[in-house]
Amino acid sequence: MLLAVDIGNTQTTAGLFEDGQMRVRWAVTTRAADTPDELHQTLFTQLALSGLELACIDDAVIASVVPALTSTWAQVAERVSGQRPVVVGPGVKSGLPMRYDNPAEVGADRVADAVAAVALYGAPVVVVDLGTATNIEVIDETGSFRGGIIAPGLRSGADSLFKRGALLSQVGLSMPDHVIGTNTADAMRSGIMLGEVARIDGLVQRIFDELGYKAPVIASGGLGRYLMGASTTITAFEPDLTLEGLRIIYQKNRGARRGAKA
């Protein structure tokens, strides 16, 4: 089976693919100081919880925005599979034409999101990835990566509010019933959750205006499901978009030559 690993600033998400289908998925807190032995144990534990063993991993593909962990995860993947993983970056084929000023600046997770969105929905398409940052990726009608937007993430903004507001207690990130909060907790939820929705919808509309046409808007990331119902622009939610993109990139680079059943 193919191990796909998306190393984010806050969470590391991984999945096992077999014959194009995800068999297992899990997410753990990203810790930049983790050693290969610690990650090896984490991988062993997560597989064991699903009744699987390390020997089921034939190959791996990795996307990382945490440089300290890129080589560490690569070591673990090679240890369990017996071969060097595909690490998404310069020189790795994605099949995605780039119109970015410096393509090397585009994070591996952003590339994977765009590749999966085009495969699932065609072009043009817009991706809204809700993680540590809120990334909006624009793939134009030619299927090219046009560029995008990087903004502070929903949870990052909320944490900043909780830390800097001495009289503001932490609240759960759930969608409020009304925009006008009649107590402090609901007022904060409105500002955090509906404020994020308004920001996304406003930015997406500006993207449409600049492109001169509209496109499907795909939300990804754990918080996407909470925003869909309130958004006027988000049309679908794909929680595993990045992992699916990694699977596709693996196939473009190694799938035809290696035995992993991706």
Side-chain angles (χ1 to χ4, degrees):
M1 286 189 279
L2 174 69
L3 172 67
V5 184
D6 173 30
I7 306 165
N9 288 297
T10 303
Q11 279 193 337
T12 295
T13 307
L16 274 178
F17 287 91
E18 185 174 30
D19 297 326
Q21 300 297 317
M22 189 181 297
R23 285 276 306 277
V24 181
R25 178 194 184 278
W26 67 90
V28 296
T29 301
T30 297
R31 294 185 294 266
D34 275 355
T35 66
D37 288 340
E38 288 170 323
L39 292 179
H40 189 275
Q41 181 60 46
T42 296
L43 184 58
F44 172 85
T45 301
Q46 292 298 329
L47 291 176
L49 290 172
S50 300
L52 297 171
E53 298 179 351
L54 291 171
C56 75
I57 298 174
D58 302 308
D59 210 344
V61 56
I62 296 170
S64 174
V65 296
V66 185
L69 286 174
T70 308
S71 61
T72 309
W73 263 108
Q75 290 179 52
V76 174
E78 185 172 0
R79 183 188 296 179
V80 301
S81 71
Q83 49 201 359
R84 291 174 183 258
V86 174
V87 179
V88 179
V92 172
K93 292 183 291 185
S94 67
L96 185 70
M98 285 284 178
R99 295 181 61 182
Y100 215 66
D101 291 344
N102 182 2
E105 291 181 351
V106 183
D109 54 339
R110 299 173 69 193
V111 173
D113 283 344
V115 167
V118 172
L120 293 171
Y121 295 91
V125 65
V126 175
V127 177
V128 179
D129 190 353
L130 295 141
T132 303
T134 294
N135 291 334
I136 303 180
E137 321 302 353
V138 181
I139 299 88
D140 65 21
E141 59 187 351
T142 71
S144 300
F145 186 94
R146 181 76 165 263
I149 295 165
I150 302 175
L154 188 156
R155 196 177 296 277
S156 301
D159 288 345
S160 178
L161 178 63
F162 301 147
K163 289 176 182 177
R164 293 177 180 273
L167 297 179
L168 299 178
S169 300
Q170 187 164 340
V171 298
L173 297 184
S174 58
M175 193 63 68
D177 294 327
H178 305 283
V179 67
I180 302 174
T182 56
N183 55 70
T184 301
D186 281 348
M188 291 172 68
R189 288 190 185 94
S190 181
I192 294 167
M193 300 300 287
L194 293 176
E196 180 71 359
V197 170
R199 180 174 68 164
I200 290 170
D201 286 345
L203 289 171
V204 168
Q205 187 55 57
R206 285 176 176 266
I207 288 169
F208 291 163
D209 292 343
E210 192 164 307
L211 289 174
Y213 50 82
K214 293 187 176 183
V217 179
I218 316 305
S220 185
L223 293 170
R225 61 171 53 90
Y226 298 111
L227 303 186
M228 263 205 70
S231 171
T232 59
T233 60
I234 296 173
T235 54
F237 173 58
E238 297 284 350
D240 299 317
L241 195 67
T242 309
L243 295 180
E244 177 63 18
L246 290 178
R247 182 191 70 81
I248 295 169
I249 291 171
Y250 171 84
Q251 288 283 24
K252 291 179 182 296
N253 286 270
R254 190 177 289 176
R257 296 188 287 111
R258 291 285 175 91
K261 294 182 179 180

